[in-house]
Amino acid sequence: MDISEFSRLRDKASYLRHPWETSRVNVLKTFLRSSGISFPVDRVVDIGGGDAFVINSLMEENLAREYFAIDTAYTPDVIGQLKENYNDSGVQYVHDLEEYNRQHDAGLKTLFLCMDVLEHLEDESIILDHLDPRNNNCHYFFSVPAFQSVFSSHDVLLGHYRRYTLSQFEKMLKNKGFTIKNRGYYFTSLLALRWVEKLFKKKKDESIDNWEGGKTKTRLINSVLDIDFRISLLLKKAGIIIPGLSCYCLCKK
């Protein structure tokens, strides 16, 4: 869990979600509907679940019978606050993957999400080596920030060690035993914006905990990014993969 997410847990009613957060959930929902995965699955497990916005948003889609969020920041106090924030929605909160693997049946049909987490780790093996290869009923959806060429002070602010190209990301996952079923980029327009910011050396201090753009601006940005992603999906069907600020891989192991 990012520090910014932790700081606002007790102030849920008065903060606005950054459009990157809401747009990322919309991208995920759009992608899963076209993924070929047969829903509902037994479980959806969100690794690096943070303030549980993603997993609780997916519950609205009835994608699974059980929902889990895993994060090393989940203390009893944090879990209690999350349950209060989401009206005890039924999400089960777990401290780490080792605990999840010990306590829960690995043989169920499961979708694991690991979105914008691996770049926060010095060594991705901390997570990837704990994803059980014995269960071939699982799908894994990974996303990470793309292109080291736009690495900036904003990445440092967010605690990123690196950014990836899609080919680098695929190679790393394949080396860890994953089979790539689908892959691509999203948020092309944001990548263009980031390149401009890097060119003019604009310092970016905004994070997800200090968005003040208002609901109208947030909805407008969400609409633009939704169109952005749908265009990239159409182009990908034609065999054209265009770059974006983030890249993703849907895998099996």
Side-chain angles (χ1 to χ4, degrees), residues 112-131:
F112 287 93
L113 307 174
C114 188
M115 300 182 69
D116 301 288
V117 174
L118 298 177
E119 69 274 13
H120 291 272
L121 306 174
E122 286 192 73
D123 183 356
E124 300 97 335
S125 300
I126 293 171
I127 285 178
L128 298 180
D129 286 352
H130 286 95
L131 294 172

Side-chain angles (χ1 to χ4, degrees), residues 66-120:
E66 292 183 296
Y67 298 84
F68 291 79
I70 299 175
D71 202 302
T72 55
Y74 288 163
T75 63
D77 180 55
V78 169
I79 291 171
Q81 188 64 51
L82 289 171
K83 288 182 176 180
E84 179 182 330
N85 287 359
Y86 292 102
N87 300 314
D88 205 8
S89 64
V91 171
Q92 300 180 57
Y93 298 97
V94 182
H95 183 262
D96 55 46
L97 269 168
E98 290 180 274
E99 179 183 334
Y100 173 83
N101 289 334
R102 284 195 310 269
Q103 295 182 358
H104 301 285
D105 182 6
L108 298 179
K109 186 177 180 181
T110 304
L111 170 64
F112 287 93
L113 307 174
C114 188
M115 300 182 69
D116 301 288
V117 174
L118 298 177
E119 69 274 13
H120 291 272

Side-chain angles (χ1 to χ4, degrees), residues 4-249:
S4 58
E5 294 183 28
F6 180 79
S7 66
R8 65 187 186 178
L9 285 181
R10 290 177 173 80
D11 193 28
K12 186 174 186 292
S14 61
Y15 68 78
L16 291 172
R17 287 205 174 270
H18 194 285
W20 179 84
E21 293 181 274
T22 48
S23 294
R24 187 178 67 143
V25 168
N26 292 338
V27 162
L28 178 61
K29 289 179 179 180
T30 299
F31 177 79
L32 291 178
R33 283 194 289 268
S34 63
S35 67
I37 299 173
S38 179
F39 292 107
V41 295
D42 293 315
R43 288 179 182 157
V44 174
V45 179
D46 187 12
I47 301 167
D51 71 354
F53 174 61
V54 172
I55 195 71
N56 278 282
S57 297
L58 291 183
M59 287 188 75
E60 300 168 2
E61 305 296 310
N62 297 315
L63 297 179
R65 298 176 181 87
E66 292 183 296
Y67 298 84
F68 291 79
I70 299 175
D71 202 302
T72 55
Y74 288 163
T75 63
D77 180 55
V78 169
I79 291 171
Q81 188 64 51
L82 289 171
K83 288 182 176 180
E84 179 182 330
N85 287 359
Y86 292 102
N87 300 314
D88 205 8
S89 64
V91 171
Q92 300 180 57
Y93 298 97
V94 182
H95 183 262
D96 55 46
L97 269 168
E98 290 180 274
E99 179 183 334
Y100 173 83
N101 289 334
R102 284 195 310 269
Q103 295 182 358
H104 301 285
D105 182 6
L108 298 179
K109 186 177 180 181
T110 304
L111 170 64
F112 287 93
L113 307 174
C114 188
M115 300 182 69
D116 301 288
V117 174
L118 298 177
E119 69 274 13
H120 291 272
L121 306 174
E122 286 192 73
D123 183 356
E124 300 97 335
S125 300
I126 293 171
I127 285 178
L128 298 180
D129 286 352
H130 286 95
L131 294 172
D132 194 341
R134 295 170 297 174
N135 182 5
N136 59 9
N137 288 321
C138 296
H139 283 88
Y140 305 85
F141 181 83
F142 300 100
S143 67
V144 291
F147 297 109
Q148 189 68 19
S149 59
V150 295
F151 191 95
S152 68
S153 60
H154 187 59
D155 290 280
V156 176
L157 174 68
L158 295 175
H160 295 173
Y161 283 95
R162 72 195 76 80
R163 303 177 73 91
Y164 305 73
T165 64
L166 185 55
S167 59
Q168 289 169 338
F169 194 38
E170 288 184 84
K171 182 178 179 181
M172 180 194 68
L173 291 172
K174 287 177 180 177
N175 287 341
K176 289 295 183 180
F178 292 92
T179 300
I180 311 297
K181 310 303 278 187
N182 200 336
R183 80 280 187 273
Y185 290 99
Y186 58 92
F187 296 163
T188 299
S189 54
L190 290 184
L191 177 62
L193 180 62
R194 185 64 63 86
W195 270 328
V196 170
E197 289 174 345
K198 189 76 181 287
L199 178 65
F200 290 98
K201 298 181 180 179
K202 180 180 178 182
K203 188 175 181 182
K204 189 177 179 64
D205 295 321
E206 288 181 347
S207 186
I208 60 174
D209 65 327
N210 60 3
W211 173 249
E212 296 179 351
K215 292 182 179 179
T216 300
K217 186 175 180 179
T218 299
R219 283 195 295 268
L220 177 61
I221 295 173
N222 283 339
S223 297
V224 170
L225 293 179
D226 181 60
I227 293 170
D228 179 317
F229 182 58
R230 291 178 186 275
I231 289 173
S232 70
L233 286 180
L234 287 173
L235 290 172
K236 192 154 74 74
K237 287 181 180 179
I240 302 169
I241 295 180
I242 56 174
L245 192 63
S246 296
C247 56
Y248 66 86
C249 288

